């Protein structure tokens, strides 16, 4: 069956131009580009990782039926690993991809219990972080129902393996291979001295364990900033938050396999980085 494709872009001129070009190339090959609101099999994002994160949040109810493909227009492009000058290869291979199993990555399930008892669930692709902006956040940290530590910090972050190269890495977290079904907690500016002690290093737990965080400020229930991926929720009356690997996974089309460590090398070491070939050649 011909693949049904939906194209999602950011609003940059170069992304919109590339979308036109891609749609033209796909039309020539008889690939159906569906309008918004119709069912599709492949979601192609054009932009940066932020664009892919937005698309993920918009279409998260369809994760079991869709596969993502990220085209990169001048950002870091950790998830968006197709270059703007590779459209022909992408279109050619889209017709053959049907037979291949997609590559899937773990997601983070976030369950927030508010101070009034309301429970809300979210899903993240990269990470979830909780912060205080009005004083030291004092968090009781439980691992799988067992009290582990009281952490005093500006906040904390829990990341998925593919999110481990995002915010988590800036907080000193390890880069994790996404074949691992695990999540990683990092501290944000923790207090560690004679009086106050927390683990102080990143902590990685497996799929069947979870973190439960109960935050307070100056010994009282308070308002916090809850962030996940590119979403920020301010003044959130969090009582507790439970973080665990989700049942759902995100799937990427297995068109060409980029070795995970090649992607890390390209994004962070850049030994073979070549100034990007200008799109102009293609747009002419
Ligand atoms: P952004 O401010 O554009 O993101 C910051 C940078 O992180 C961008 O270069 C982005 O790539 C890159 N990025 C996103 N996910 C990544 C991943 N899984 N691995 C490696 N790099 C990644 O904001 P955004 O585009 O909406 O992305 C939100 C994400 O940015 C958050 O989930 C968080 O992981 C990350 N972030 C990091 C810091 C930090 O390190 N201090 C601060 C804020 C946000 P593109 O340029 O391709 O978008
Ligand atoms: Mn971005």
């Amino acid at each position: 069956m011909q693949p049904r494709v939906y194209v999602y872009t950011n609003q940059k001129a170069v992304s919109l131009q590339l979308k036109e070009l891609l749609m033209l190339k796909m039309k020539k090959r008889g690939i159906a580009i569906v309008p918004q609101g119709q069912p599709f099999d492949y979601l192609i994002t054009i932009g940066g990782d932020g664009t892919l994160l937005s698309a993920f949040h918009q279409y998260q109810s369809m994760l079991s039926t869709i596969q993502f493909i990220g085209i990169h227009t001048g950002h870091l492009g950790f998830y968006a690993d197709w270059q703007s000058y590779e459209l022909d290869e992408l279109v050619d291979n889209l017709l053959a991809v049907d037979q291949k199993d997609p590559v899937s990555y773990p997601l983070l399930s976030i369950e927030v219990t508010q101070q009034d008892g309301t429970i809300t669930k979210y899903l993240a692709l990269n990470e979830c972080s909780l912060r205080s902006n009005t004083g030291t956040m004092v968090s009781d940290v439980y691992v799988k129902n067992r009290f582990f530590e009281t952490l005093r910090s500006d906040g904390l972050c829990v990341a998925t393996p593919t999110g481990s190269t995002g915010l988590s890495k800036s907080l000193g977290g390890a880069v994790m291979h996404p074949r691992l079904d695990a999540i990683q907690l990092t501290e944000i500016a923790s207090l560690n001295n004679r009086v106050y002690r927390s683990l102080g290093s990143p902590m990685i737990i497996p799929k069947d364990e979870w973190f439960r965080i109960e935050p307070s400020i100056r010994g009282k229930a308070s308002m916090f900033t809850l962030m996940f991926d590119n979403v920020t929720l301010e003044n959130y009356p969090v009582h507790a938050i439970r973080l665990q690997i989700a049942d759902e996974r995100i799937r990427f089309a297995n068109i060409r396999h980029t070795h995970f460590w090649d992607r890390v090398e390209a994004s962070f070491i850049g030994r073979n980085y070549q100034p990007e070939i200008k799109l102009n050649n293609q747009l002419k």
Side-chain angles (χ1 to χ4, degrees), residues 48-51 53 75-76:
D49 290 325
T51 315
L53 289 170
H75 290 254
L76 179 69

Side-chain angles (χ1 to χ4, degrees), residues 108-257:
L108 178 68
S109 142
I110 306 162
E111 186 185 288
V112 183
T113 306
Q114 291 188 30
Q115 287 149 20
D116 67 2
T118 315
I119 293 177
T120 314
K121 290 184 180 180
Y122 308 98
L123 206 56
L125 173 52
N126 272 347
E127 78 283 289
C128 170
S129 63
L130 186 68
R131 294 159 215 253
S132 147
N133 26 33
T134 53
T136 305
M137 184 171 107
V138 180
S139 309
D140 284 340
V141 177
Y142 295 78
V143 183
K144 204 179 175 182
N145 287 339
R146 187 178 181 282
F147 175 71
F148 180 73
E149 66 180 4
T150 298
L151 167 68
R152 288 175 172 80
S153 65
D154 276 12
L156 54 84
C157 166
V158 174
T160 63
T162 53
S164 70
T165 45
L167 171 63
S168 179
K169 183 172 183 297
S170 304
L171 297 171
V175 174
M176 289 168 70
H177 194 288
R179 209 182 304 129
L180 296 168
D181 265 326
I183 52 175
Q184 174 170 210
L185 182 145
T186 45
E187 304 172 346
I188 304 177
S190 60
L191 267 166
N192 254 301
N193 54 35
R194 202 152 39 79
V195 188
Y196 301 126
R197 178 135 321 279
S198 60
L199 185 62
S201 64
M203 191 175 171
I204 298 174
I205 60 168
K207 193 181 178 169
D208 61 344
E209 297 199 347
W210 59 90
F211 292 114
R212 180 180 165 88
I213 315 290
E214 292 182 11
S216 62
I217 298 174
R218 294 181 204 93
K220 285 196 294 233
S222 194
M223 297 299 197
F224 301 90
T225 302
L226 179 79
M227 299 172 79
F228 49 96
D229 299 345
N230 52 353
V231 180
T232 301
L233 303 173
E234 287 180 307
N235 299 315
Y236 206 129
V238 175
H239 163 63
I241 176 165
R242 185 187 195 279
L243 300 144
Q244 187 170 17
I245 289 269
D247 295 332
E248 304 94 323
R249 293 172 72 89
I250 185 171
R251 305 187 309 157
F252 282 82
N254 192 0
I255 295 183
R256 114 187 125 179
H257 186 64

Side-chain angles (χ1 to χ4, degrees), residues 13-19 21 46 71-74 83-87 276-284:
V14 59
S15 303
L16 297 171
Q17 253 182 310
L18 204 67
K19 177 183 175 180
L21 186 64
I46 304 180
I71 304 177
H72 158 126
T73 48
Q83 304 295 326
S84 52
Y85 49 82
E86 295 177 314
L87 294 190
E276 205 178 312
I277 297 172
K278 287 279 176 239
L279 240 190
N280 298 344
N281 296 342
Q282 256 198 106
L283 293 174
K284 265 189 240 154

